[in-house]
Amino acid sequence: MRLAVIGAGFAEQHLAWLRDIENVSIPVICYATDRTRASALAKRFDVPEVSDDAVGVIRDAAIDGVVIVSPPRSHEELVLAALERNLTVICDKPLAHTVNSATSLAHAAQRSSSHSVMMFQWRLHPLLRSVKALLDGGEVGELKHVSLGFRHDFLAMEETLWPWRHKRQEGGAGALSDIGVHLFDLLRFLAPGSWHVVAGNAQTAWPVRRYRGKNLACDTEDAADLLMEQTDASRFANLTLSRVATGVHEMSGALTGSRASLDFSIDLDTARGSIMLRRPDKHSEKTLFDRSNFNPYSFLLPGSNIQVSNFTDGLIAQQLMADAIEIFETGR
């Protein structure tokens, strides 16, 4: 399979993953402004071509699919062009920068025969699939409450490398766009059903940042806490997310059931983690996951029998993100 990678800023990790997948080649990396970075990545990963015309590559090149890791505002044009050719489309999160745009893409994907998936990779991690199996197998009993956290420090300092991450019209949101949508998808994966944002608050750590020696006004959140409700099961969930948690690179969860409680944590750098299952009548059971080679592309490409997130999942996460922003702004 020949996959074009679109978006040099975040291509590095995806290129490293794809390099380890059999029968996949990368004929071209597309970039918007930074040809120097694109060329360096092409040299490092033996990609023969770089291009600043992503739409042209999608329409004209001899490729079988695209990996879109460009800023959210660019997704609609790129995804629609790929769907028109019935290409495989792997789209980074969030699906788009607005609900309207995400709706258009989800509907277009439903009409298309393309293999279109979201890069919500954490539901594919073996630890979280084990958590799901424990829940489905009744080990926890009736699930009562879920608490999920995602904390990182890639924007903990005043200086930034990504001006679009601090502009809602470009990224759709801030920490919600970067990491919150992962938690929305993971919540729906672990506890399927209709979830709603009930309350929340957010904070912008740096209202003015520095970008290439100049001041950059910021209108997106850097950290947030959300209260979620699943009305059809009378459950609540708490989500905590931060992209400014200095020195922390962790995803964690605490699930409370009628029979047991279950805690998990994952190191976001190594993908290693652990599950702790606590029962009232037995000793705690701890399971370690030493999977530092976790590669989501083993599941994302056509042919996998593992359920992955599609564009409808992306649209639901987009709507929850928009609902949270409305609560931040209106207080309701």
Side-chain angles (χ1 to χ4, degrees):
M1 172 173 281
R2 298 157 297 179
L3 296 174
V5 174
I6 300 176
F10 286 90
E12 183 173 5
Q13 178 61 77
H14 294 267
L15 290 165
W17 278 328
L18 289 165
R19 178 178 55 186
D20 294 335
I21 302 297
E22 292 184 1
N23 301 319
V24 168
S25 63
I26 310 298
V28 59
I29 299 173
C30 298
Y31 66 95
T33 59
D34 197 342
R35 183 179 179 87
T36 299
R37 175 171 173 78
S39 297
L41 289 172
K43 181 178 181 180
R44 176 180 169 186
F45 291 97
D46 297 320
V47 178
E49 182 183 353
V50 298
S51 173
D52 63 355
D53 183 10
V55 174
V57 166
I58 292 171
R59 290 175 175 166
D60 300 330
I63 58 174
D64 304 302
V66 293
V67 175
I68 298 175
V69 292
S70 53
R73 188 176 179 87
S74 67
H75 289 184
E76 184 169 8
E77 180 183 25
L78 299 171
V79 170
L80 289 177
L83 292 176
E84 287 175 2
R85 286 199 56 208
N86 291 320
L87 299 177
T88 289
V89 183
I90 299 171
C91 185
D92 203 3
K93 47 71 194 171
L95 180 54
H97 67 301
T98 67
V99 172
N100 286 342
S101 181
T103 301
S104 296
L105 296 182
H107 290 172
Q110 291 168 2
R111 295 190 300 267
S112 172
S113 60
S114 296
H115 177 76
S116 51
V117 299
M118 291 295 303
M119 181 53 75
F120 288 148
Q121 70 268 30
W122 292 108
R123 69 155 65 185
L124 304 173
H125 191 282
L127 183 152
L128 290 164
R129 296 199 339 255
S130 293
V131 170
K132 174 68 170 172
L134 289 169
L135 293 172
D136 291 348
E139 294 293 329
V140 174
E142 183 183 356
L143 187 61
K144 300 294 187 179
H145 182 265
V146 180
S147 179
L148 299 176
F150 195 129
R151 296 189 299 155
H152 209 286
D153 65 353
F154 61 95
L155 283 171
M157 299 295 104
E158 182 181 17
E159 193 77 20
T160 183
L161 297 174
W162 308 283
W164 62 267
R165 287 184 179 273
H166 309 284
K167 298 294 182 182
R168 191 175 296 169
Q169 65 179 357
E170 299 293 330
L176 282 169
S177 173
D178 290 330
I179 56 184
V181 286
H182 279 304
L183 294 187
F184 291 143
D185 185 70
L186 186 57
L187 179 62
R188 294 180 57 246
F189 172 65
L190 296 177
S194 180
W195 286 93
H196 306 278
V197 182
V198 177
N201 57 67
Q203 180 182 25
T204 301
W206 298 97
V208 177
R209 289 180 179 264
R210 298 288 292 172
Y211 173 68
R212 295 185 176 179
K214 297 182 180 180
N215 288 338
L216 174 70
C218 307
D219 64 8
T220 59
E221 77 289 344
D222 292 313
D225 290 290
L226 299 174
L227 176 63
M228 310 283 294
E229 180 184 17
Q230 190 182 38
T231 53
D232 51 347
S234 299
R235 293 178 184 144
F236 287 87
N238 299 99
L239 307 186
T240 298
L241 50 136
S242 175
R243 59 185 187 181
V244 292
T246 303
V248 182
H249 298 174
E250 182 185 54
M251 177 187 289
S252 60
L255 298 95
T256 302
S258 58
R259 292 183 180 177
S261 63
L262 185 156
D263 297 343
F264 71 83
S265 65
I266 299 175
D267 184 307
L268 296 170
D269 293 330
T270 66
R272 297 186 177 100
S274 64
I275 296 173
M276 179 72 77
L277 184 64
R278 297 181 175 90
R279 298 187 180 92
D281 57 344
K282 295 182 179 181
H283 295 298
S284 299
E285 297 178 15
K286 187 173 185 178
T287 306
L288 299 178
F289 287 79
D290 186 14
R291 287 294 302 271
S292 58
N293 62 339
F294 170 58
N295 188 333
Y297 280 97
S298 301
F299 312 102
L300 291 171
L301 296 173
S304 171
N305 59 0
I306 299 296
Q307 181 182 5
V308 298
S309 302
N310 58 32
F311 280 15
T312 299
D313 296 311
L315 173 58
I316 293 171
Q318 190 93 35
Q319 183 64 65
L320 290 171
M321 183 172 74
D323 292 345
I325 291 171
E326 182 178 2
I327 287 175
F328 298 159
E329 293 181 339
T330 64
R332 61 176 180 82

